[in-house]
Amino acid sequence: MHLSFRSQGRLAAAIGLWLIVASAAPARGQDPATPAAPAEPTRTPAELQLLDASMRGDLAAVRAALADKAPADTRSDGHMTALGLAAMYGRTDIVAALLAAGAAAGADQDGESALMVAAREGHVGVIDALVAGGADLAAKDRDGMTALMAAAAANRAAAVTALLRHRAEVNAVASGGATALMAAAFGGHLEAVNALLAAGADVNHRDASGRTALMAASLGGNAAIAAALLQKGADLDAIDSNGSSALIYAAANGHTAFIDTLDTAGLKRGNDLALAFAVRGCRTDTAQRLLAGGAPITAQLNGSPMIVLAAASNCEPAITLLLDRGADVNGADGDGTTALMSAAEMGFVPLVELLLARGADMEKVNKANQSAWLMAAMGNHRDVVELLRAKRDAAGGAKP
């Protein structure tokens, strides 16, 4: 399973560079000229001073540069204006001075706004100054993120609170349908989650893939966030477009305490599939917890019994746990592949030894008439072949 929740700031975006190539053919006998890189704009000393002072927080130098005719929206080589640089470094007084001098509050800062920059960095004073200067709280970056989402994703609880105080839309959605609450829940940011919930965030909103904030939280495994979401009515049994639930995501990532929180809240179904994902991910402690909670040892995932899933993951602890709980060592998937075949095919020698010691049948064949012997040989796993040969010889059998 793949999830694409963003845990911090705006996503890095590739920058396309367009090269302008002359259409005229080169003279006969000459090599084509290499196109020159676009020249950086020439800046006056006052403009350079404005950019530098905006970063350093030198208000007197900023005022002097403005008095010397430097435009308030002077842009740096990094595609940010003086306002954006001041916002990044938390220079509240300089932000106010630049706005008073006519700087555009919504000027592009390499794909985002100064307000988003300040929100991501957690500069509350700058946020207040920008909003007072006309910054658009609903503006989105190239990924569809608002300033509130940027603050929530970056664990800037104070910035989240400030933006909500200024009436930022708490349920705004990014390009993929995610919200600020999802970003905060995924990142494990409890303070931000609580602030968003108090402001009326939709706890059961679904993104484009049908995922909820509870599912986002299950990836990080923060049980306190799970409790906060559940207290506000999060749907325990919600299923996304891939058929996965918060329980499955938590099990696949080994978050046992998160599962305990779900169970306490009244979870009644899904233990079987969660157990299969825990075993496949070699999350043995989580698998043990689910088994203790009543998950059936016969659970399967896409037709594969858990012992085959554990073998494919080379997970000896899960194999031992399952066999101790009564799993069939010779259980097979829909193609007839057993745990021994899977381990032999991939050359997992210690696992082959374990399975043989627990009674795995080396003579079984799958639907393609392949045995563990043949699979090991085709994979050129000589150690496994010799191990199987020794086992057969000890049993008095003929060589293959």
Side-chain angles (χ1 to χ4, degrees):
M1 284 177 299
H2 173 71
L3 289 183
S4 57
F5 292 109
R6 287 172 46 185
S7 61
Q8 57 181 325
R10 66 183 180 87
L11 289 174
I15 301 174
L17 298 178
W18 291 93
L19 298 178
I20 302 174
V21 182
S23 59
R28 187 185 298 270
Q30 294 180 349
D31 292 329
T34 300
E40 292 292 345
T42 301
R43 296 183 184 85
T44 67
E47 291 171 339
L48 293 172
Q49 178 179 320
L50 179 64
L51 294 170
D52 179 64
S54 295
M55 287 189 290
R56 291 187 294 105
D58 189 338
L59 180 58
V62 166
R63 287 174 172 164
L66 292 170
D68 202 18
K69 307 302 182 184
D73 284 322
T74 295
R75 192 170 291 275
S76 71
D77 292 346
H79 310 291
M80 296 183 74
T81 67
L83 183 68
L85 294 172
M88 178 181 292
Y89 290 97
R91 315 300 189 191
T92 304
D93 54 350
I94 291 175
V95 166
L98 290 168
L99 290 169
D108 177 71
Q109 310 294 337
D110 195 24
E112 56 185 347
S113 69
L115 184 62
M116 294 171 199
V117 173
R120 189 180 66 245
E121 299 299 327
H123 300 314
V124 173
V126 174
I127 290 171
D128 292 340
L130 288 168
V131 173
D136 183 1
L137 288 160
K140 296 184 177 183
D141 70 6
R142 61 183 66 140
D143 301 305
M145 287 189 71
T146 64
L148 182 62
M149 294 176 201
N155 194 22
R156 306 295 190 182
V160 168
T161 300
L163 290 163
L164 291 171
R165 172 167 46 82
H166 288 299
R167 301 187 181 279
E169 173 50 56
V170 70
N171 290 314
V173 297
S175 300
T179 64
L181 180 61
M182 289 178 173
F186 175 64
H189 309 322
L190 180 59
E191 281 188 78
V193 166
N194 284 334
L196 292 163
L197 289 173
D202 183 356
V203 74
N204 287 313
H205 170 82
R206 291 174 178 265
D207 70 5
S209 296
R211 297 168 297 206
T212 66
L214 187 62
M215 294 177 198
S218 69
L219 287 169
N222 190 311
I225 289 179
L229 295 170
L230 290 165
Q231 188 175 24
K232 288 292 186 177
D235 185 355
L236 271 173
D237 298 316
I239 302 295
D240 68 14
S241 58
N242 290 321
S244 297
S245 65
L247 174 61
I248 289 173
Y249 284 122
N253 288 279
H255 298 313
T256 304
F258 195 98
I259 293 172
D260 289 340
T261 301
L262 297 178
D263 190 56
T264 301
L267 186 68
K268 299 298 183 186
R269 62 182 183 181
N271 274 358
D272 52 349
L273 195 55
L275 176 60
F277 273 99
V279 167
R280 188 177 73 170
C282 203
R283 309 292 187 177
T284 308
D285 289 345
T286 301
Q288 192 166 14
R289 158 67 178 79
L290 290 165
L291 284 167
I297 197 70
T298 54
Q300 295 189 351
L301 181 61
N302 297 326
S304 292
M306 287 185 295
I307 194 165
V308 176
L309 297 172
S313 298
N314 195 21
C315 188
E316 295 178 49
I319 291 283
T320 299
L321 172 65
L322 294 170
L323 291 175
D324 288 348
R325 293 299 186 98
D328 181 4
V329 72
N330 292 310
D333 66 13
D335 294 324
T337 298
T338 65
L340 181 62
M341 294 176 197
S342 180
E345 182 180 27
M346 290 181 278
F348 298 151
V349 176
L351 188 55
V352 170
E353 291 177 324
L354 172 61
L355 290 165
L356 289 173
R358 298 297 295 262
D361 184 356
M362 73 177 89
E363 308 298 347
K364 284 182 69 73
V365 295
N366 62 16
K367 290 184 178 180
N369 205 33
Q370 297 169 328
S371 66
W373 286 87
L374 181 57
M375 295 173 116
M378 288 191 301
N380 198 30
H381 300 306
R382 296 183 181 180
D383 289 348
V384 175
V385 171
E386 290 305 318
L387 181 60
L388 294 169
R389 188 188 305 278
K391 178 71 174 178
R392 174 178 281 183
D393 288 347
K399 295 182 179 180

